[in-house]
Amino acid sequence: EPEVTQTPSHQVTQMGQEVILRCVPISNHLYFYWYRQILGQKVEFLVSFYNNEISEKSEIFDDQFSVERPDGSNFTLKIRSTKLEDSAMYFCASRPLTSASYNEQFFGPGTRLTVL
Amino acid sequence: KQEVTQIPAALSVPEGENLVLNCSFTDSAIYNLQWFRQDPGKGLTSLLLIQSSQREQTSGRLNASLDKSSGRSTLYIAASQPGDSATYLCAVGDHGLTFGKGTHLIIQP
């Protein structure tokens, strides 16, 4: 069964460094998302992406964050200058445009980001 | 701003029991409601999606209902098994989903 994949599974970085989290959405899905979950807290929406542009973003998604679909298969989240409070599990999700349940979002296993 | 609340926060029951997990949301103008399962340190597995025009969805031993007017959804798990132990999350929205904190469920063998 097709699934969303994410790499790396765990990333450790120093405060102030740039990180890029990678995702491969399910083939033929057209909407892509990033969410984050700080340890012990709710899953929070960051950004949605469709047709090579951001369609919606939350107040968390400030200028330190950017997303890109560089090659038609990967979907990336870049954090330019990481802060301690960016430590979280980051989930990628994708959604088909048309299907019996076209609104359903499918999530990847997550990347645990630790900022030291 | 949409707020999602899940009750109870934690639940521990013996194997074989039928149980109900509750989810409430503040803005009834929702597009979809989706139930997920999250195992410790893992990603989210989609269980059921209820679109705004629907009242319920069923998958195996799971049944989810939606009452938009009262801002509530319930997830019913029949004949619970130890493998059902996980955190169950409710989320509402169109694209950017708003999540509850989840119900941590333990099924005792």
Side-chain angles (χ1 to χ4, degrees):
Chain A
E1 186 171 331
E3 56 185 21
V4 177
T5 59
Q6 291 185 242
T7 55
S9 58
H10 190 187
Q11 173 104 37
V12 181
T13 189
Q14 295 291 325
M15 188 169 56
Q17 294 297 304
E18 175 184 287
V19 295
I20 297 176
L21 309 183
R22 291 182 168 80
C23 166
V24 179
I26 294 174
S27 178
N28 298 324
H29 281 196
L30 296 177
Y31 289 96
F32 314 114
Y33 309 87
W34 284 101
Y35 293 82
R36 78 174 185 190
Q37 185 177 32
I38 296 171
L39 188 64
Q41 299 189 23
K42 295 182 179 183
V43 176
E44 300 172 291
F45 166 71
L46 295 178
V47 66
S48 62
F49 192 84
Y50 170 70
N51 200 26
N52 284 320
E53 62 182 24
I54 291 174
S55 54
E56 186 180 345
K57 62 182 180 179
S58 72
E59 58 190 21
I60 301 170
F61 194 88
D62 61 21
D63 291 344
Q64 290 299 309
F65 293 91
S66 63
V67 290
E68 190 178 29
R69 187 157 164 79
D71 57 13
S73 61
N74 290 283
F75 179 50
T76 63
L77 174 69
K78 182 192 292 186
I79 308 175
R80 288 191 181 81
S81 179
T82 50
K83 298 177 275 207
L84 295 176
E85 53 264 39
D86 293 327
S87 294
M89 182 76 93
Y90 287 81
F91 294 109
C92 173
S94 68
R95 174 178 133 174
L97 182 59
T98 56
S99 77
S101 59
Y102 68 91
N103 293 328
E104 189 172 7
Q105 293 188 25
F106 296 87
F107 281 67
T111 292
R112 179 163 298 286
L113 176 65
T114 302
V115 182
L116 302 176
Chain B
K1 182 184 173 185
Q2 180 73 268
E3 296 286 341
V4 178
T5 303
Q6 292 188 245
I7 295 173
L11 183 63
S12 180
V13 300
E15 179 178 5
E17 285 202 4
N18 302 322
L19 47 97
V20 175
L21 308 182
N22 297 292
C23 171
S24 62
F25 44 93
T26 53
D27 185 352
S28 61
I30 64 169
Y31 287 90
N32 312 292
L33 187 143
Q34 199 166 349
W35 281 96
F36 295 88
R37 167 188 174 136
Q38 185 175 31
D39 293 283
K42 304 288 187 181
L44 281 63
T45 300
S46 179
L47 297 173
L48 290 164
L49 168 76
I50 309 178
Q51 299 187 53
S52 60
S53 58
Q54 299 172 325
R55 296 293 295 262
E56 67 177 334
Q57 282 288 337
T58 297
S59 175
R61 295 183 292 108
L62 305 179
N63 174 275
S65 67
L66 173 63
D67 183 345
K68 283 180 59 178
S69 61
S70 66
R72 292 180 185 176
S73 175
T74 60
L75 179 66
Y76 176 82
I77 303 176
S80 57
Q81 302 170 358
D84 295 330
S85 298
T87 296
Y88 290 79
L89 303 176
C90 167
V92 300
D94 183 12
H95 286 282
L97 296 177
T98 301
F99 283 80
K101 285 201 75 172
T103 293
H104 181 55
L105 177 64
I106 297 174
I107 307 298
Q108 306 153 10

